[in-house]
Amino acid sequence: MSNEQTEEAPKKSKLKFFIILFILLFLILGGVACYWWLNLRVPENITPNEEQTVEVVEEESAEPADVAPEKKKKEEKKQESQPTKKTKLNIVTIPTVTINLADKDSIRYLKIGFDIELSTADAAENIEVQKAKVRDSIIILLSSKTYSELATTEGKIRIKNEIATRLNQILGVPRVVQIYFNEFVVN
């Protein structure tokens, strides 16, 4: 009987180990998928007519004086036929907000202003329309923070991510590309 118990104990131990390993693997893959979905995914419905054109200026290299005129003409035609590179710039500025922090031992405040880079012009228009809702959401979020949470670089990055999450909730789909602080004063 003791042999049966000793044989069953390692089997149960191995089974528990594999179940725990499977659950951890599942959680890690789920976390990676959520991170990609919320932060790294680029919306595919960007149309070329919405994009702003940014011309790229190339430096002319020093060529010998005896370069054939035909070669120069070919290079000029080649440069003319190349399309200009385009980048997407949809930035909405949120005016400065002054907020009391949640510190209990002292009175502290946060003065913050930031710009929001969005993936589409439609999302930028949507944020403009819902600016009151955005400001309210930001005030509620930041008034629950303490000085110690905001004082470090990691805290500021965490706040950027939390603001982006709140804005994506307001928009209904992930459209926030980046948050840029243009004013951040804690007193």
Side-chain angles (χ1 to χ4, degrees):
M1 196 129 133
S2 65
N3 283 341
E4 291 176 11
Q5 290 177 350
T6 57
E7 289 176 9
E8 290 179 18
K11 288 181 183 178
K12 287 184 180 179
S13 174
K14 287 182 182 180
L15 181 62
K16 286 181 182 178
F17 174 74
F18 283 118
I19 290 173
I20 291 172
L21 185 65
F22 177 74
I23 291 171
L24 286 175
L25 181 64
F26 183 73
L27 289 174
I28 290 171
L29 289 176
V32 169
C34 287
Y35 179 79
W36 174 81
W37 182 262
L38 294 174
N39 295 324
L40 302 178
R41 185 176 59 97
V42 177
E44 297 177 10
N45 60 353
I46 299 174
T47 58
N49 61 355
E50 294 176 348
E51 296 178 355
Q52 297 177 356
T53 304
V54 177
E55 293 185 21
V56 178
V57 179
E58 296 180 12
E59 293 182 17
E60 295 182 20
S61 58
E63 297 179 357
D66 60 337
V67 175
E70 295 173 7
K71 187 176 180 182
K72 285 185 181 181
K73 288 180 183 178
K74 286 181 182 179
E75 287 179 8
E76 288 174 3
K77 286 181 183 179
K78 188 177 179 181
Q79 287 178 354
E80 289 174 4
S81 65
Q82 290 178 348
T84 58
K85 292 184 180 180
K86 297 180 179 181
T87 55
K88 188 70 179 157
L89 297 175
N90 294 307
I91 296 180
V92 176
T93 300
I94 301 298
T96 302
V97 179
T98 304
I99 303 160
N100 289 329
L101 294 177
D103 289 318
K104 294 179 181 173
D105 57 339
S106 63
I107 298 173
R108 293 188 179 265
Y109 70 91
L110 168 67
K111 188 175 183 182
I112 186 170
F114 55 92
D115 296 331
I116 307 165
E117 182 179 357
L118 298 151
S119 60
T120 64
D122 184 42
E125 291 172 11
N126 197 355
I127 286 285
E128 285 287 342
V129 168
Q130 299 186 30
K131 234 178 200 176
K133 189 184 276 188
V134 169
R135 286 177 55 92
D136 179 62
S137 178
I138 300 307
I139 289 170
I140 290 171
L141 171 68
L142 295 176
S143 64
S144 68
K145 301 297 178 187
T146 62
Y147 174 77
S148 60
E149 292 174 322
L150 300 173
T152 63
T153 304
E154 293 84 16
K156 290 177 180 76
I157 292 170
R158 192 175 310 116
I159 289 298
K160 281 184 173 188
N161 292 334
E162 289 177 10
I163 290 171
T165 303
R166 291 272 177 115
L167 294 176
N168 284 330
Q169 288 173 350
I170 291 171
L171 291 171
V173 289
R175 297 282 187 232
V176 175
V177 176
Q178 184 68 32
I179 303 290
Y180 303 104
F181 290 138
N182 52 32
E183 189 170 357
F184 196 95
V185 178
V186 181
N187 187 2

